[in-house]
Amino acid sequence: MTKTKPMAIACFGLPGSYTYEAMMSYFDGKDIEPQYASQFEDVVQAVARRQVRYGVLPIENSSTGGITDVYDLIHRYDCHIAGEKYVRIEHNLLGVPGATLADIHEVYSHPQGIAQCRDFLKGHEDWLLHPYFSTSQSAEMVHKTGDVHIGAIANTISADMYGLTILARHINDNTMNYTRFFIISAEMEESDDMDKITLVLTTKHKPGALYHVLGHFFYNAMNMTHLESRPIKGRPFEYFFHIDVMGNIRNPATAIVLHNLEEHCNYFKILGNYPSDKGGNIR
């Protein structure tokens, strides 16, 4: 009997990252072959070039908002959203075995990790803060240096994987801190349980244009859950709008709303219709 080849998945960061946690949870029970990347664009490129089946990327944090570079990359490389996963974020300060909090002079983490721990870091204003590729790569780097004066902001999985000591627990400002992750694919996918639509559009350049666009959702009782604007390169003060709305494009009423909406936009594209995580990890 021929053995099925594992499904290749591109994952931002290294084993132990929050993206790793999202990937393992989303693909739980499936035979996968993770491929790790230190840049968002590397993940999206791998998907667009069909080197992997899916990619996993952070898209939005409940404390710091949307990760806009990821929206831009998905759109630029013509990729699609196949799913989402929410992961609770619990940052810790990690150091090498034997280090104490008093030993720390420098801290590494992903820029989002640093931003989400501002209150804790204000109590240590003498520390040098170094934005780094990802939380897990920060933990790996601290492990490799073996320096008691260097710490990393990361999760407990990274602490276990890289043999680090937790010097301070739960240091994120928001105790109910979650990150939403996108699972992306090269092709648009469909499933029976898809109930969330992500689309990108530009409005006509006239007063009230966005108001009229959003009215399509309001007057048709479609719940809009997210709105993110991004500047259009080379066109000052004009924007792409990334919108999440609940619905299934197979539903005739939803299809009519989206068709009518497209008629009132300069640019309109559905990035994905996929099963929502339904807040299963938010508690």
Side-chain angles (χ1 to χ4, degrees):
M1 184 175 179
T2 305
K3 186 177 179 180
T4 305
K5 187 177 179 180
M7 185 165 50
I9 311 291
C11 177
F12 172 68
L14 289 177
S17 67
Y18 292 106
T19 314
Y20 168 87
E21 189 175 343
M23 176 184 67
M24 298 305 291
S25 179
Y26 187 85
F27 293 103
D28 184 33
K30 293 183 172 60
D31 188 14
I32 64 173
E33 181 182 344
Q35 299 178 16
Y36 300 99
S38 60
Q39 302 286 346
F40 293 147
E41 188 165 11
D42 294 337
V43 173
V44 181
Q45 281 184 339
V47 172
R49 294 169 180 171
R50 292 169 172 75
Q51 297 166 342
V52 296
R53 182 68 184 84
Y54 295 106
V56 186
L57 292 160
I59 189 61
E60 179 186 5
N61 179 263
S62 59
S63 295
T64 54
I67 303 172
T68 51
D69 288 349
V70 174
Y71 278 111
D72 292 344
L73 289 166
I74 293 172
H75 188 204
R76 185 192 312 163
Y77 284 95
D78 197 27
C79 289
H80 300 273
I81 302 156
E84 67 175 4
K85 194 69 187 176
Y86 288 90
V87 171
R88 185 165 186 167
I89 306 301
E90 293 184 342
H91 291 310
N92 307 275
L93 181 68
L94 311 181
V96 299
T100 67
L101 196 60
D103 292 322
I104 300 300
H105 295 163
E106 301 180 45
V107 172
Y108 286 77
S109 191
H110 187 270
Q112 289 276 327
I114 293 172
Q116 292 162 20
C117 299
R118 285 296 182 191
D119 289 347
F120 174 80
L121 294 171
K122 283 178 183 176
H124 303 278
E125 293 184 346
D126 56 325
W127 289 355
L128 293 176
L129 304 179
H130 300 285
Y132 206 57
F133 296 110
S134 70
T135 56
S136 56
Q137 285 169 290
S138 299
E140 181 195 45
M141 187 274 298
V142 171
H143 164 73
K144 287 181 176 178
T145 65
D147 190 336
V148 296
H149 301 300
I150 300 177
I153 294 173
N155 59 11
T156 57
I157 297 175
S158 292
D160 292 339
M161 283 190 167
Y162 299 107
L164 300 178
T165 298
I166 298 176
L167 304 179
R169 292 181 180 272
H170 310 318
I171 63 173
N172 36 290
D173 303 341
N174 183 357
T175 57
M176 293 295 288
N177 187 14
Y178 289 84
T179 293
R180 177 186 177 210
F181 295 84
F182 273 163
I183 290 78
I184 64 170
S185 59
E187 305 290 342
M188 180 79 79
E189 297 193 349
E190 293 189 8
S191 66
D192 293 336
D193 55 349
M194 57 190 186
D195 63 348
K196 199 169 194 177
I197 302 165
T198 295
L199 50 90
V200 59
L201 56 84
T202 63
T203 61
K204 295 180 179 180
H205 202 50
K206 63 181 183 179
L210 181 59
Y211 170 83
H212 290 294
V213 163
L214 300 182
H216 284 276
F217 302 131
F218 175 78
Y219 290 112
N220 290 280
M222 293 178 68
N223 182 28
M224 187 179 70
T225 60
H226 185 80
L227 172 64
E228 190 86 29
S229 64
R230 294 292 293 143
I232 300 175
K233 189 174 181 180
R235 290 160 62 182
F237 305 109
E238 293 188 44
Y239 300 89
F240 284 116
F241 293 98
H242 293 86
I243 297 172
D244 292 339
V245 62
M246 302 308 294
N248 186 319
I249 59 176
R250 291 177 178 174
N251 182 302
T254 300
I256 290 171
V257 173
L258 296 176
H259 174 74
N260 291 339
L261 177 61
E262 184 176 5
E263 294 292 309
H264 290 85
C265 294
N266 284 342
Y267 177 83
F268 178 91
K269 183 179 181 181
I270 295 173
L271 295 181
N273 190 190
Y274 50 92
S276 66
D277 191 12
K278 298 178 174 60
N281 285 343
I282 299 179
R283 59 190 182 277

